Amino acid sequence: MLPTDEQLLIARILDGHAEDYGYFLEQYGPEVMRLVSRLVPQQQDAEELVQDAFVRAYNRLETFGGRSAFSTWVCRIAYTTTVSWLRRQRMKYLSIDDLPPLPDAVVDEVLNDETRIDELRRAIAQLKPDEQTLITLFYYDNRPIADIAYILDIETGTIATRLHRIRRKLYLLMKHGNKP
């Protein structure tokens, strides 16, 4: 379905054909689930958060203006829903501001070592939700910078800086056995 077709479908849903919303669940549910499940390891919690995000999207459907793709819009809702839930869980994370200066070559050497993939995954799991999401959207999902900026509600120019800092943080987490 083309974006214009999706906008017609949205108009139809807003006219009272709520059953048509199933298209969006089917079309974008797996993508939203991937995003949420990378932040929330418990499957049941992730499923509830995805459901909550789609309910929130449905309740705010009239605010979807088409400035982004529907998938980007619903991912942003899912991201903010998940981050709010994680904040209520009071999880502790290593701050980027606590990092010592590190040469890029040293960081790249460790992060590009294919024998340390499991170690890298464990380190990613220790990142803050916004950092995990940035890594996920950029490296795993290959999302355009503009989409990432919209989902995370940050300026496009700050994405490269944050990615650089996160790579340094991952290096330290891996170097210290995933203990900050």
Side-chain angles (χ1 to χ4, degrees), residues 18-156:
E19 67 278 1
D20 290 346
Y21 191 66
Y23 163 81
F24 294 107
L25 293 169
E26 187 176 309
Q27 185 70 24
Y28 303 117
E31 179 179 0
V32 172
M33 185 63 180
R34 277 192 309 275
L35 175 69
V36 173
S37 64
R38 287 192 178 121
L39 295 171
V40 178
Q42 294 79 19
Q43 181 74 16
Q44 184 177 358
D45 291 336
E47 288 171 358
E48 287 179 23
L49 287 164
V50 168
Q51 182 178 1
D52 190 29
F54 273 101
V55 168
R56 288 176 189 218
Y58 177 79
N59 290 334
R60 297 179 186 154
L61 201 52
E62 73 280 350
T63 67
F64 177 69
R67 291 185 305 266
S68 67
F70 186 88
S71 65
T72 302
W73 184 72
V74 77
C75 279
R76 180 176 183 169
I77 292 170
Y79 169 73
T80 57
T81 300
T82 303
V83 168
S84 294
W85 182 84
L86 288 168
R87 281 189 190 123
R88 288 190 302 273
Q89 304 304 308
R90 301 181 194 271
M91 302 185 116
K92 303 279 190 232
Y93 303 98
L94 175 67
S95 172
I96 288 178
D97 298 329
D98 298 337
L99 301 178
L102 294 167
D104 289 340
V106 172
V107 172
D108 290 342
E109 181 181 334
V110 170
L111 294 181
N112 292 329
D113 183 352
E114 291 187 20
T115 64
R116 299 179 80 177
I117 295 295
D118 288 337
E119 210 176 325
L120 178 59
R121 285 188 182 124
R122 284 191 299 276
I124 289 171
Q126 291 185 289
L127 296 173
K128 292 179 183 178
D130 61 321
E131 296 166 341
Q132 287 182 36
T133 303
L134 182 54
I135 292 290
T136 296
L137 295 173
F138 188 79
Y139 290 108
Y140 290 99
D141 297 345
N142 296 311
R143 283 280 199 149
I145 298 291
D147 285 2
I148 296 170
Y150 180 80
I151 292 168
L152 297 179
D153 194 24
I154 58 176
E155 296 294 321
T156 56

Side-chain angles (χ1 to χ4, degrees), residues 145-171:
I145 298 291
D147 285 2
I148 296 170
Y150 180 80
I151 292 168
L152 297 179
D153 194 24
I154 58 176
E155 296 294 321
T156 56
T158 63
I159 291 175
T161 302
R162 286 197 181 173
L163 284 170
H164 181 75
R165 288 180 173 182
I166 293 167
R167 288 173 53 84
R168 290 177 42 223
K169 187 174 180 178
L170 287 170
Y171 164 81

